[in-house]
Amino acid sequence: MKDSPQVTIEVRNIVKQFGAFRALDNVDLKVANGELLALLGPSGSGKTTLLRIIAGLDWPDAGEVSFDGENALARGAGERHVGFVFQHYALFRHMTVFENVAFGLRVQPRAVRKDEAAIRARVKELLDLVQLDWLAGRYPSQLSGGQRQRIALARALAIEPRILLLDEPFGALDAKVRKELRQWLRSLHEEINVTSIFVTHDQEEALEVANRVVVMDKGRIEQIGTPGDVYDNPATAFVHSFIGESIILPVDVSEGHVKLGSRVLNVDANGASGPSKLFVRRHDMHVGPVGEGAFDGTVRRVRSFGPIQRADIALNGDGDTLVEIDAPRDRNLTAGDIVSLQPRRYRIFAGRD
């Protein structure tokens, strides 16, 4: 497979309203040549709207979109040379796999359309690329979900797009197939080298596949960084709570002292002041003997998941507050144990909103 042309995408001050709802609120983003970028966020965060605007399937109320410095908004979707892969495949049920992949090539204007031999060679190349050449004569109804999505991707690549956009590409698949296709997509991108953006609400998918992750919420970008950056150094309370599974405790910070209720915790205030929230990953809450940590608690329930134990622990003195922690299975926690908890890695963000 030859290298496809790489394109830099730049989005500046994009605003999009749907009635009173502001789907995108002055969004700025730059996607580098050949990058595989994930737009990650909950439903309603604006990620699919942004993708559709880049594709030319929707239009902003304000702002600019450029490809390699040229105004993309002056061109319609068909003129942008963008390949788009949808969550639900959008394959033509009455066409074979071969004809589905060939479709975009057959409907190109006569001036640029390949001859039949070249079309057949291109389709064979793509079916080989997605490792499904043996299914060329079958119909979509005869394929598994994972096979359909790979054919949808081959069809999007048939026209040699400058940009590849994927909207929740694995969202309709079961967990095992999603994991297999994530690894496959990462390898495929390294081979085809097309500037690519994919939308997902699955944090594991974004962290595993992308070069960089854009975390969105309520129409705004909360953080942009490598998967390691956004996981290890979340910029906001939202990013910490959305990426990874966090314990969140309401605290008050005064003169550098962090209080949970009336209890002063043995933690650093991290520059916060006033009503705040303490965030710690479940696996970063150390379980030790009574009196050695920031606070004590009573184990209420324990269940095992492979090498870990997951335990619900009620904080002593505040039995209504339950924290869920992950501990090594050989810690042998049982219901009724009284233990001490100490955050090893944590962040404190000011504010309770």
Side-chain angles (χ1 to χ4, degrees):
M1 179 90 181
K2 65 182 180 180
D3 282 350
S4 299
Q6 297 178 4
V7 177
T8 297
I9 304 168
E10 192 160 4
V11 170
R12 293 181 292 274
N13 304 120
I14 289 292
V15 174
K16 180 64 180 178
Q17 295 268 157
F18 294 103
F21 175 66
R22 178 161 285 206
L24 295 171
D25 189 2
N26 289 300
V27 170
D28 293 306
L29 177 64
K30 188 169 184 178
V31 187
N33 284 344
E35 185 170 23
L36 177 54
L37 185 92
L39 300 179
L40 173 65
S43 297
S45 61
K47 55 192 187 295
T48 292
T49 300
L50 179 57
L51 197 77
R52 290 176 60 85
I53 287 173
I54 292 170
L57 300 177
D58 212 336
W59 297 87
D61 298 316
E64 303 172 21
V65 179
S66 64
F67 298 165
D68 281 345
E70 296 181 359
N71 179 17
L73 297 180
R75 299 175 181 270
E79 301 172 296
R80 296 190 192 183
H81 301 291
V82 169
F84 204 110
V85 179
F86 298 89
Q87 177 177 347
H88 294 289
Y89 326 124
L91 296 177
F92 299 116
R93 289 178 291 178
H94 65 289
M95 292 184 181
T96 64
V97 163
F98 186 97
E99 291 301 327
N100 263 282
V101 177
F103 178 79
L105 297 171
R106 296 200 191 285
V107 299
Q108 286 182 316
R110 187 179 298 274
V112 297
R113 190 185 312 156
K114 299 175 186 289
D115 62 30
E116 182 62 20
I119 288 175
R120 299 188 74 83
R122 175 66 176 162
V123 173
K124 182 180 186 310
E125 178 187 23
L126 287 163
L127 291 178
D128 287 343
L129 181 71
V130 300
Q131 302 169 350
L132 292 176
D133 58 304
W134 54 285
L135 293 177
R138 295 194 188 181
Y139 289 86
S141 62
Q142 297 172 300
L143 308 180
S144 69
Q147 289 168 341
R148 289 181 205 172
Q149 195 58 290
R150 284 155 70 181
I151 295 302
L153 186 50
R155 188 177 64 178
L157 292 171
I159 59 170
E160 299 181 43
R162 303 168 68 207
I163 296 165
L164 181 63
L165 305 176
L166 305 100
D167 188 9
E168 298 274 8
F170 309 136
L173 304 172
D174 64 50
K176 183 176 184 295
V177 175
R178 280 204 312 269
K179 189 168 184 65
E180 291 171 353
L181 286 188
R182 287 201 300 262
Q183 296 166 346
W184 174 79
L185 177 61
R186 178 78 235 182
S187 298
L188 180 69
H189 180 264
E190 290 172 358
E191 184 170 349
I192 63 176
N193 213 24
V194 175
T195 303
S196 304
I197 305 173
F198 72 98
V199 159
T200 182
H201 65 273
D202 184 328
Q203 55 182 283
E204 184 178 335
E205 186 170 286
L207 297 178
E208 182 176 339
V209 176
N211 302 128
R212 285 192 304 153
V213 177
V214 179
V215 185
M216 298 185 68
D217 184 43
K218 298 177 181 176
R220 296 184 177 183
I221 291 175
E222 293 274 328
Q223 186 172 355
I224 303 174
T226 66
D229 286 339
V230 296
Y231 187 86
D232 293 331
N233 301 296
T236 67
F238 171 80
V239 175
H240 204 304
S241 62
F242 188 74
I243 294 181
E245 296 178 313
S246 299
I247 298 165
I248 306 173
L249 298 173
V251 296
D252 286 286
V253 183
S254 178
E255 298 180 350
H257 298 295
V258 181
K259 287 187 176 181
L260 177 63
S262 60
R263 187 185 300 107
V264 177
L265 304 183
N266 180 28
V267 297
D268 192 325
N270 292 144
S273 182
S276 303
K277 288 182 178 178
L278 184 149
F279 291 77
V280 57
R281 309 279 186 209
R282 290 195 308 219
H283 60 270
D284 282 330
M285 186 71 87
H286 175 69
V287 182
V290 175
E292 290 189 0
F295 34 81
D296 296 335
T298 302
V299 177
R300 292 286 176 82
R301 180 170 174 250
V302 180
R303 51 266 187 225
S304 295
F305 297 90
I308 68 165
Q309 282 190 316
R310 185 160 296 163
D312 296 334
I313 299 177
L315 302 187
N316 290 350
D318 186 4
D320 291 334
T321 299
L322 279 175
V323 298
E324 189 179 58
I325 63 96
D326 288 344
R329 194 165 182 172
D330 59 10
R331 183 64 181 75
N332 293 322
L333 296 172
T334 58
D337 288 349
I338 300 176
V339 296
S340 186
L341 301 177
Q342 178 64 41
R344 287 177 292 212
R345 288 165 51 94
Y346 58 91
R347 292 289 302 275
I348 295 178
F349 292 98
R352 294 279 176 84
D353 296 333

